[in-house]
Amino acid sequence: MTRATDHRELLARLGVDLELHDQLIAYNNRLHEQTFAATTGRPGTMRLFDEAFHASHGSRVAEISEYRKQGGKSIGTFCIYVPDEIALAAEVLPIPLCGGTNWSVDYADKMFPRDICPLIRSTFGMAFSNTCPYKKLKDAAVGETTCDAKKKAWDLLGFHVMEVPQRKKPTDVMLWRNEVREFKTFVEGLSGVTVTAERLSESIRVVNRKRRVLQIINEFRKLDHPPISGLDALLVSQVALNMDVRAFIAAGEQLIAELTERRDRGVSAYDHDGPRILVAGSPSPMGYAKVHFAIESSGFRVVADESCTGIRYYRDLVDESPFGLDSMLDAVADRYFTIDCSCFSPNTERVENILHLVEDHRIEGVVHAILLFCHTYNIEARVIDNALRKKNVPSLKIVTDFAYEDLERIKVRLDAFREQVRGERVTAGV
Ligand code: BJ8
């Protein structure tokens, strides 16, 4: 593994502003040290995921650069609705471009208003400050019609856009299946490689394996004494998005072996039995790990994540049984259409999925982690709370950005929530 500092020449060739990039890396490394690396009781294998985190601006950039030198094509993506299986079957590498650092958000002011979500501002802040090494490593960018801010950003930047319908009626299913086919034509046009049944079958198998690895790691979090913390489980999910898929599977399998061994020896990642928490809502990229950090350093245990950096990314696999390209494309489309993003109306599946998580992971409290200006998750929290209340599960809504200035305020609210979780439990048992 090599870090960004080992790849300065390559970064300079990619048009990266090295001085600003050093600042960005120093900022992100500091956060990593103060959150993920600062926790105790970590499995030794987490070293591989720490390395992959640092490699995202170093050796991973070099890998993709080399792949493109050999004639490979790539696309930048911003949402888990873009079907990796089809891109990979056309020999197009998807590169997730969601920025997650407070360092870059203000650079987005060049083009975007300040009152939009920090995920978008951070992403484009990196692009506009020339600190994103992937900017020149992609042959195209693929956006999607999910939330308003994203839709309008793609228009402005002229990206290829996949239409994600906002309802789940039979006509919407047909529309989405057509979009997936259009996407196939788009990636085939980029690479000149035709998606055949054989190629698609292989990519479905590989991506399913990756998601299965994440599912197995998540299973350990259901135990009385989880051998992996919420912060580390989050890091694994974050890294899964960008790491080479086969390298991720290999690292994930090593982690599973260690977690199995820890489970058998009764080793917990925690030195306490604090309340079991589900974190629900907006995606948690690097900078948003502050929410997990705040929760876990306030005496809770995060044992489940309901987000696109959590179970929403790996809950469902593509059905591998269909034969023939057409049925396989439908199987891919249908798997992606089960994603319960808050852009859907109504979004009853999400409520049901959360209630299942509450039961399976024996959740004692839910924390909604909502990115500032992420209206759909923010408003939908109320529908979820109504359902949780019937199960006597308390919840807390944290609306924040990637900056750390409010960390202490969040922790004060979490302290109060801790009493509420314990208090409600006592009342429920009377
Ligand atoms: S499937 S959650 S990755 S759209 S950008 S919605 S945080 S205001 S990222 Fe998302 Fe796809 Fe849905 Fe998942 Fe809110 Fe910000 Fe919009 Fe965001």
Side-chain angles (χ1 to χ4, degrees):
M1 188 275 308
T2 50
R3 295 185 179 209
T5 42
D6 304 320
H7 295 280
R8 294 180 77 76
E9 242 177 70
L10 170 62
L11 294 172
R13 270 207 310 280
L14 291 170
V16 169
D17 180 323
L18 293 180
E19 207 176 306
L20 286 181
H21 190 257
D22 286 347
Q23 288 178 25
L24 165 72
I25 296 301
Y27 179 91
N28 286 348
N29 287 349
R30 204 166 48 245
L31 284 194
H32 180 272
E33 273 162 31
Q34 289 168 358
T35 52
F36 298 110
T39 51
T40 52
R42 303 182 81 200
T45 315
M46 283 310 298
R47 163 186 56 81
L48 300 177
F49 301 94
D50 289 335
E51 287 175 2
F53 164 82
H54 293 300
S56 68
H57 278 239
S59 53
R60 182 63 181 144
V61 178
E63 272 171 30
I64 298 174
S65 170
E66 191 50 41
Y67 158 84
R68 293 184 78 244
K69 264 195 219 149
Q70 308 298 326
K73 301 292 178 192
S74 59
I75 48 170
T77 62
F78 306 87
C79 175
I80 63 164
Y81 274 107
V82 178
D84 286 352
E85 294 84 347
I86 293 177
L88 292 171
E91 294 182 14
V92 171
L93 183 70
I95 311 174
L97 292 181
C98 285
T101 173
N102 194 53
W103 181 88
S104 60
V105 291
D106 288 344
Y107 288 96
D109 293 355
K110 196 168 166 184
M111 199 176 282
F112 294 111
R114 293 183 74 84
D115 50 354
I116 61 169
C117 127
L119 190 60
I120 297 172
R121 293 185 73 216
S122 171
T123 303
F124 292 103
M126 282 176 65
F128 300 155
S129 60
N130 292 324
T131 54
C132 177
Y134 299 105
K135 190 172 157 185
K136 290 212 176 132
L137 281 182
K138 59 180 179 5
D139 295 281
V142 179
E144 77 305 323
T145 55
T146 46
C147 69
D148 286 353
K150 278 178 148 189
K151 272 190 283 223
K152 292 293 108 182
W154 316 146
D155 283 357
L156 199 59
L157 298 163
F159 290 175
H160 176 88
V161 175
M162 293 187 79
E163 182 174 352
V164 179
Q166 314 270 283
R167 293 173 70 89
K168 291 192 174 171
K169 294 184 296 183
T171 46
D172 300 307
V173 175
M174 296 319 294
L175 188 153
W176 176 242
R177 285 181 172 186
N178 283 335
E179 281 298 306
V180 167
R181 282 171 172 77
E182 271 186 29
F183 175 70
K184 168 183 159 296
T185 307
F186 176 74
V187 285
E188 287 175 333
L190 269 186
S191 64
V193 175
T194 304
V195 173
T196 61
E198 289 71 29
R199 285 180 198 280
L200 187 54
S201 159
E202 172 60 11
S203 64
I204 288 173
R205 207 185 51 73
V206 172
V207 179
N208 272 353
R209 180 69 201 138
K210 172 183 172 180
R211 296 194 212 271
R212 183 76 192 121
V213 162
L214 286 159
Q215 286 177 354
I216 296 169
I217 293 168
N218 188 49
E219 284 296 305
F220 287 98
R221 303 172 75 193
K222 294 179 181 171
L223 296 171
D224 282 348
H225 303 293
I228 184 166
S229 69
L231 261 171
D232 274 342
L234 176 64
L235 180 62
V236 171
S237 292
Q238 289 171 342
V239 159
L241 297 173
N242 187 31
M243 202 170 167
D244 169 76
V245 59
R246 288 184 173 79
F248 175 81
I249 291 169
E253 284 173 347
Q254 272 194 57
L255 180 60
I256 290 169
E258 185 179 356
L259 295 180
T260 306
E261 192 251 337
R262 281 166 72 104
R263 178 201 61 198
D264 294 347
R265 287 194 295 119
V267 176
S268 171
Y270 302 93
D271 58 6
H272 59 80
D273 286 333
R276 301 172 68 89
I277 295 295
L278 163 68
V279 175
S282 313
S284 292
M286 170 60 199
Y288 215 47
K290 81 166 183 191
V291 177
H292 280 67
F293 176 72
I295 297 170
E296 296 211 312
S297 56
S298 299
F300 295 95
R301 296 177 294 169
V302 175
V303 297
D305 287 287
E306 189 274 334
S307 72
C308 293
T309 40
I311 202 160
R312 190 169 295 121
Y313 177 70
Y314 54 77
R315 177 177 40 231
D316 299 305
L317 305 183
V318 176
D319 182 358
E320 293 184 29
S321 60
F323 284 109
L325 187 59
D326 232 32
S327 325
M328 289 163 77
L329 287 169
D330 285 345
V332 172
D334 294 351
R335 180 266 165 204
Y336 279 80
F337 215 47
T338 60
I339 296 173
D340 53 356
C341 176
S342 58
C343 66
F344 277 92
S345 162
N347 197 18
T348 41
E349 280 163 300
R350 181 165 177 238
V351 180
E352 286 158 17
N353 287 331
I354 285 178
L355 292 180
H356 283 309
L357 280 176
V358 165
E359 205 175 306
D360 291 351
H361 290 251
R362 288 167 293 121
I363 296 298
E364 294 168 82
V366 172
V367 174
H368 298 282
I370 314 281
L371 273 167
L372 198 60
F373 306 116
C374 181
H375 305 309
T376 52
Y377 280 103
N378 196 345
I379 297 169
E380 197 161 271
R382 193 159 184 127
V383 181
I384 290 158
D385 285 348
N386 291 343
L388 290 174
R389 215 168 289 122
K390 290 184 191 146
K391 302 277 176 193
N392 206 17
V393 177
S395 64
L396 174 72
K397 185 159 78 176
I398 296 176
V399 181
T400 183
D401 56 13
F402 300 147
Y404 270 61
E405 277 74 19
D406 60 352
L407 188 63
E408 288 311 313
R409 271 202 307 279
I410 292 173
K411 287 173 86 168
V412 169
R413 294 187 62 212
L414 282 163
D415 281 346
F417 184 55
R418 206 164 154 204
E419 280 177 32
Q420 194 191 344
V421 171
R422 299 241 152 124
E424 288 203 14
R425 293 266 121 194
V426 174
T427 313
V430 168

Short mmCIF file of all heavy atoms in Angstrom, two decimals, residues 78-81 98 117-120 144 146-150 281-283 308 312 339 341-343 371-377, ligand 1:
data_model
loop_
_atom_site.label_atom_id
_atom_site.label_comp_id
_atom_site.label_asym_id
_atom_site.label_seq_id
_atom_site.Cartn_x
_atom_site.Cartn_y
_atom_site.Cartn_z
N PHE A 78 -22.29 8.60 -8.39
CA PHE A 78 -22.62 9.38 -7.19
C PHE A 78 -23.72 8.73 -6.36
O PHE A 78 -24.21 9.34 -5.42
CB PHE A 78 -23.05 10.80 -7.59
CG PHE A 78 -22.04 11.48 -8.46
CD1 PHE A 78 -22.08 11.31 -9.84
CD2 PHE A 78 -21.03 12.26 -7.92
CE1 PHE A 78 -21.12 11.90 -10.67
CE2 PHE A 78 -20.08 12.85 -8.73
CZ PHE A 78 -20.12 12.68 -10.11
N CYS A 79 -24.13 7.54 -6.77
CA CYS A 79 -25.31 6.96 -6.12
C CYS A 79 -25.28 5.45 -6.31
O CYS A 79 -24.81 4.96 -7.35
CB CYS A 79 -26.57 7.55 -6.75
SG CYS A 79 -28.10 6.83 -6.15
N ILE A 80 -25.82 4.73 -5.33
CA ILE A 80 -25.81 3.26 -5.42
C ILE A 80 -26.89 2.72 -6.36
O ILE A 80 -27.06 1.52 -6.48
CB ILE A 80 -25.90 2.61 -4.03
CG1 ILE A 80 -27.22 2.96 -3.35
CG2 ILE A 80 -24.72 2.99 -3.16
CD1 ILE A 80 -27.52 2.05 -2.15
N TYR A 81 -27.64 3.60 -7.05
CA TYR A 81 -28.58 3.12 -8.08
C TYR A 81 -27.88 2.79 -9.39
O TYR A 81 -28.47 2.16 -10.26
CB TYR A 81 -29.67 4.17 -8.36
CG TYR A 81 -30.82 4.04 -7.40
CD1 TYR A 81 -31.02 4.98 -6.41
CD2 TYR A 81 -31.71 2.98 -7.49
CE1 TYR A 81 -32.06 4.86 -5.51
CE2 TYR A 81 -32.75 2.85 -6.60
CZ TYR A 81 -32.92 3.80 -5.61
OH TYR A 81 -33.94 3.66 -4.72
N CYS A 98 -18.39 10.28 -4.37
CA CYS A 98 -19.05 11.05 -3.32
C CYS A 98 -18.01 11.64 -2.38
O CYS A 98 -17.31 10.89 -1.69
CB CYS A 98 -20.02 10.18 -2.54
SG CYS A 98 -21.49 9.88 -3.50
N CYS A 117 -26.96 20.14 0.27
CA CYS A 117 -26.33 19.15 1.14
C CYS A 117 -24.80 19.11 1.01
O CYS A 117 -24.26 19.27 -0.09
CB CYS A 117 -26.98 17.80 0.86
SG CYS A 117 -25.91 16.47 0.48
N PRO A 118 -24.09 18.93 2.13
CA PRO A 118 -22.63 18.94 2.13
C PRO A 118 -22.00 17.81 1.32
O PRO A 118 -20.85 17.91 0.93
CB PRO A 118 -22.26 18.82 3.62
CG PRO A 118 -23.48 18.35 4.30
CD PRO A 118 -24.66 18.76 3.50
N LEU A 119 -22.78 16.75 1.09
CA LEU A 119 -22.23 15.65 0.29
C LEU A 119 -21.95 16.16 -1.13
O LEU A 119 -20.89 15.92 -1.71
CB LEU A 119 -23.23 14.50 0.26
CG LEU A 119 -22.76 13.17 -0.32
CD1 LEU A 119 -21.59 12.61 0.45
CD2 LEU A 119 -23.90 12.17 -0.30
N ILE A 120 -22.90 16.88 -1.66
CA ILE A 120 -22.75 17.42 -3.02
C ILE A 120 -21.68 18.51 -3.02
O ILE A 120 -20.80 18.55 -3.88
CB ILE A 120 -24.10 17.97 -3.51
CG1 ILE A 120 -25.11 16.82 -3.59
CG2 ILE A 120 -23.96 18.67 -4.87
CD1 ILE A 120 -26.51 17.25 -3.86
N GLU A 144 -28.03 10.69 -11.54
CA GLU A 144 -29.33 10.03 -11.43
C GLU A 144 -30.35 11.00 -10.85
O GLU A 144 -29.98 11.96 -10.17
CB GLU A 144 -29.21 8.75 -10.59
CG GLU A 144 -29.14 8.91 -9.08
CD GLU A 144 -28.04 9.83 -8.56
OE1 GLU A 144 -26.95 9.86 -9.10
OE2 GLU A 144 -28.33 10.54 -7.58
N THR A 146 -32.41 11.45 -8.29
CA THR A 146 -32.90 11.09 -6.95
C THR A 146 -33.37 12.37 -6.25
O THR A 146 -34.51 12.77 -6.40
CB THR A 146 -31.79 10.35 -6.16
OG1 THR A 146 -30.57 11.05 -6.31
CG2 THR A 146 -31.63 8.93 -6.65
N CYS A 147 -32.47 13.05 -5.54
CA CYS A 147 -32.93 14.27 -4.85
C CYS A 147 -32.79 15.49 -5.78
O CYS A 147 -32.09 15.43 -6.79
CB CYS A 147 -32.18 14.48 -3.55
SG CYS A 147 -30.45 14.90 -3.78
N ASP A 148 -33.44 16.57 -5.42
CA ASP A 148 -33.47 17.76 -6.28
C ASP A 148 -32.08 18.34 -6.52
O ASP A 148 -31.74 18.73 -7.63
CB ASP A 148 -34.36 18.84 -5.65
CG ASP A 148 -35.83 18.48 -5.77
OD1 ASP A 148 -36.12 17.47 -6.45
OD2 ASP A 148 -36.67 19.19 -5.19
N ALA A 149 -31.29 18.40 -5.44
CA ALA A 149 -29.97 19.02 -5.58
C ALA A 149 -29.11 18.25 -6.57
O ALA A 149 -28.40 18.83 -7.40
CB ALA A 149 -29.29 19.08 -4.21
N LYS A 150 -29.19 16.94 -6.49
CA LYS A 150 -28.39 16.13 -7.42
C LYS A 150 -28.89 16.31 -8.85
O LYS A 150 -28.10 16.58 -9.75
CB LYS A 150 -28.49 14.65 -7.01
CG LYS A 150 -27.56 14.27 -5.89
CD LYS A 150 -27.77 12.81 -5.56
CE LYS A 150 -26.50 12.15 -5.09
NZ LYS A 150 -26.66 10.70 -4.98
N GLY A 281 -30.48 6.76 7.88
CA GLY A 281 -30.61 8.02 7.14
C GLY A 281 -29.65 8.21 6.00
O GLY A 281 -29.39 7.28 5.22
N SER A 282 -29.10 9.43 5.91
CA SER A 282 -28.24 9.81 4.79
C SER A 282 -26.96 8.97 4.79
O SER A 282 -26.57 8.44 5.84
CB SER A 282 -27.82 11.28 4.91
OG SER A 282 -28.91 12.11 5.20
N PRO A 283 -26.29 8.90 3.63
CA PRO A 283 -25.03 8.15 3.61
C PRO A 283 -23.99 8.77 4.55
O PRO A 283 -24.04 9.97 4.83
CB PRO A 283 -24.55 8.30 2.16
CG PRO A 283 -25.71 8.80 1.38
CD PRO A 283 -26.61 9.50 2.33
N CYS A 308 -26.82 4.13 2.79
CA CYS A 308 -26.14 3.64 1.58
C CYS A 308 -24.69 3.30 1.87
O CYS A 308 -24.01 2.73 1.04
CB CYS A 308 -26.27 4.65 0.45
SG CYS A 308 -27.99 4.78 -0.07
N ARG A 312 -28.27 -0.71 3.13
CA ARG A 312 -28.95 -0.39 1.87
C ARG A 312 -28.08 -0.76 0.66
O ARG A 312 -28.59 -1.06 -0.40
CB ARG A 312 -29.31 1.11 1.83
CG ARG A 312 -30.22 1.48 0.68
CD ARG A 312 -30.78 2.88 0.79
NE ARG A 312 -31.65 3.01 1.92
CZ ARG A 312 -31.46 3.87 2.92
NH1 ARG A 312 -30.46 4.71 2.90
NH2 ARG A 312 -32.29 3.90 3.94
N ILE A 339 -33.95 -0.83 -3.70
CA ILE A 339 -33.29 0.15 -2.83
C ILE A 339 -34.35 1.13 -2.31
O ILE A 339 -35.13 1.66 -3.09
CB ILE A 339 -32.17 0.89 -3.60
CG1 ILE A 339 -31.08 -0.10 -4.03
CG2 ILE A 339 -31.55 1.99 -2.73
CD1 ILE A 339 -30.03 0.49 -4.95
N CYS A 341 -34.41 4.23 -1.04
CA CYS A 341 -33.96 5.62 -0.85
C CYS A 341 -35.17 6.50 -0.51
O CYS A 341 -36.29 6.26 -1.00
CB CYS A 341 -33.31 6.11 -2.13
SG CYS A 341 -32.81 7.84 -2.07
N SER A 342 -34.94 7.51 0.28
CA SER A 342 -36.04 8.38 0.70
C SER A 342 -36.57 9.23 -0.45
O SER A 342 -37.56 9.95 -0.28
CB SER A 342 -35.58 9.29 1.84
OG SER A 342 -34.46 10.04 1.43
N CYS A 343 -35.98 9.15 -1.63
CA CYS A 343 -36.54 9.90 -2.77
C CYS A 343 -37.84 9.26 -3.24
O CYS A 343 -38.57 9.85 -4.03
CB CYS A 343 -35.53 10.02 -3.91
SG CYS A 343 -35.11 8.47 -4.68
N LEU A 371 -27.99 14.40 6.88
CA LEU A 371 -27.11 15.46 6.39
C LEU A 371 -27.90 16.75 6.26
O LEU A 371 -29.06 16.74 5.80
CB LEU A 371 -26.50 15.07 5.04
CG LEU A 371 -25.22 14.25 5.14
CD1 LEU A 371 -24.85 13.65 3.80
CD2 LEU A 371 -24.08 15.13 5.65
N LEU A 372 -27.27 17.82 6.65
CA LEU A 372 -27.90 19.15 6.56
C LEU A 372 -28.46 19.36 5.15
O LEU A 372 -27.75 19.08 4.17
CB LEU A 372 -26.81 20.18 6.86
CG LEU A 372 -27.22 21.58 7.24
CD1 LEU A 372 -28.07 21.58 8.49
CD2 LEU A 372 -25.96 22.43 7.46
N PHE A 373 -29.69 19.81 5.05
CA PHE A 373 -30.39 20.08 3.78
C PHE A 373 -30.78 18.81 3.02
O PHE A 373 -31.13 18.89 1.84
CB PHE A 373 -29.58 21.00 2.85
CG PHE A 373 -29.17 22.29 3.49
CD1 PHE A 373 -27.84 22.61 3.69
CD2 PHE A 373 -30.14 23.20 3.93
CE1 PHE A 373 -27.46 23.80 4.30
CE2 PHE A 373 -29.78 24.40 4.54
CZ PHE A 373 -28.43 24.69 4.73
N CYS A 374 -30.68 17.66 3.65
CA CYS A 374 -31.17 16.43 3.01
C CYS A 374 -32.63 16.28 3.41
O CYS A 374 -32.97 15.61 4.38
CB CYS A 374 -30.35 15.22 3.47
SG CYS A 374 -30.86 13.69 2.69
N HIS A 375 -33.51 16.95 2.66
CA HIS A 375 -34.91 17.09 3.09
C HIS A 375 -35.67 15.76 3.13
O HIS A 375 -36.50 15.54 3.99
CB HIS A 375 -35.64 18.07 2.17
CG HIS A 375 -34.95 19.40 2.10
ND1 HIS A 375 -34.60 20.11 3.22
CD2 HIS A 375 -34.53 20.13 1.04
CE1 HIS A 375 -34.00 21.23 2.86
NE2 HIS A 375 -33.93 21.26 1.54
N THR A 376 -35.39 14.89 2.16
CA THR A 376 -36.21 13.67 2.10
C THR A 376 -35.98 12.78 3.33
O THR A 376 -36.94 12.29 3.93
CB THR A 376 -35.93 12.89 0.80
OG1 THR A 376 -34.52 12.68 0.67
CG2 THR A 376 -36.47 13.61 -0.43
N TYR A 377 -34.72 12.59 3.71
CA TYR A 377 -34.47 11.78 4.91
C TYR A 377 -34.95 12.51 6.16
O TYR A 377 -35.46 11.89 7.10
CB TYR A 377 -32.98 11.42 5.04
CG TYR A 377 -32.61 10.26 4.15
CD1 TYR A 377 -31.92 10.47 2.96
CD2 TYR A 377 -32.99 8.96 4.48
CE1 TYR A 377 -31.61 9.40 2.13
CE2 TYR A 377 -32.68 7.89 3.65
CZ TYR A 377 -32.00 8.12 2.48
OH TYR A 377 -31.71 7.06 1.66
S1 BJ8 B 1 -29.79 5.87 -2.98
S2 BJ8 B 1 -29.34 8.16 -0.32
S3 BJ8 B 1 -26.71 7.39 -2.64
S4 BJ8 B 1 -29.59 9.33 -3.63
S5 BJ8 B 1 -27.24 14.04 -2.18
S6 BJ8 B 1 -30.18 12.32 -1.02
S7 BJ8 B 1 -27.58 13.14 1.25
S8 BJ8 B 1 -29.59 15.70 -0.17
S9 BJ8 B 1 -26.81 10.70 -1.44
FE1 BJ8 B 1 -28.11 9.07 -1.97
FE2 BJ8 B 1 -28.51 7.40 -3.95
FE3 BJ8 B 1 -30.47 7.88 -2.21
FE4 BJ8 B 1 -28.34 6.51 -1.46
FE5 BJ8 B 1 -29.67 13.64 0.71
FE6 BJ8 B 1 -27.52 14.88 -0.14
FE7 BJ8 B 1 -29.42 14.27 -1.86
FE8 BJ8 B 1 -27.94 12.39 -0.85
#
